């Protein structure tokens, strides 16, 4: 009986990685591509507009540095933020900028003082990273989450 209870209690932790949203997987995959320093692969995860402002080589270096600072992607605490977790003003801003498209917000901890808030939209064939905002925890708590 104790073994069954232990298995039941541990199951959510085992399945947590399997049940992560697609948007989190996209951000995780982009960070993995950065670790192996594949600029072309990193660029595939981003919109053309974003790449015009942030060259793939710089993105690769910056993202790989974030992973190294956290000692791995698993330690970056990637999480998709649901609308109920976001401030109404932030939701309005994102909807105004991207319309009523299927957009998602994923947050990644990059070091002990900062996070990166990723905006992802659903394209025709895949999810695309369209924006990122690096910010302090204080700003994140004040402007983004409830």
């Amino acid at each position: 009986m104790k073994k069954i209870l232990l298995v039941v209690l541990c199951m959510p932790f085992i399945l947590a990685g399997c049940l992560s949203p697609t948007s989190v997987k996209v951000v995780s995959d982009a960070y993995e591509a950065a670790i192996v320093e594949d600029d072309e692969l990193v660029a595939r995860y981003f919109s053309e507009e974003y790449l015009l402002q942030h060259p793939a080589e710089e993105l690769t270096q910056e993202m790989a540095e974030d992973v190294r600072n956290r000692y791995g992607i698993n330690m970056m605490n990637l999480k998709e933020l649901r609308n109920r977790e976001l401030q109404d003003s932030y939701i309005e801003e994102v909807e105004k900028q991207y319309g009523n498209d299927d957009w998602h917000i994923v947050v990644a901890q990059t070091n002990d003082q900062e996070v990166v808030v990723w905006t992802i939209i659903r394209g025709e064939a895949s999810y695309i990273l369209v924006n990122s905002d690096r910010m302090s925890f204080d700003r994140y708590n004040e402007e983004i989450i409830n």
Side-chain angles (χ1 to χ4, degrees), residues 27 31 35 63 65-79 107-111 115-116 118:
V27 174
Y31 276 114
I35 291 171
M63 292 175 76
E65 184 66 26
D66 290 342
V67 174
R68 286 189 288 274
N69 285 341
R70 293 300 300 166
Y71 302 105
I73 296 169
N74 292 337
M75 300 301 287
M76 295 181 75
N77 302 318
L78 295 172
K79 180 184 183 212
V107 64
Q109 184 177 356
T110 57
N111 61 41
V115 295
V116 175
W118 295 97

Side-chain angles (χ1 to χ4, degrees), residues 76-92:
M76 295 181 75
N77 302 318
L78 295 172
K79 180 184 183 212
E80 179 177 0
L81 299 175
R82 306 288 181 193
N83 283 1
R84 66 180 180 270
E85 297 172 293
L86 299 169
Q87 289 190 15
D88 292 339
S89 60
Y90 186 76
I91 292 172
E92 289 172 13

Side-chain angles (χ1 to χ4, degrees), residues 15-26:
L15 293 177
C18 302
L19 299 176
S20 63
T22 302
S23 55
V24 171
K25 180 75 170 124
V26 170

Side-chain angles (χ1 to χ4, degrees), residues 31 46 50 54 59 62 90 98 106 115-120 129-135:
Y31 276 114
F46 292 90
Y50 191 86
H54 308 275
L59 276 173
E62 185 177 323
Y90 186 76
Y98 300 106
V106 173
V115 295
V116 175
V117 178
W118 295 97
T119 306
I120 301 155
L129 296 164
V130 293
N131 193 21
S132 68
D133 194 2
R134 186 175 297 271
M135 62 183 68

Side-chain angles (χ1 to χ4, degrees), residues 93-103 119 121 130-131:
E93 181 182 318
V94 173
E95 285 180 349
K96 183 179 178 182
Q97 189 169 1
Y98 300 106
N100 289 329
D101 289 335
D102 190 8
W103 54 267
T119 306
I121 61 171
V130 293
N131 193 21

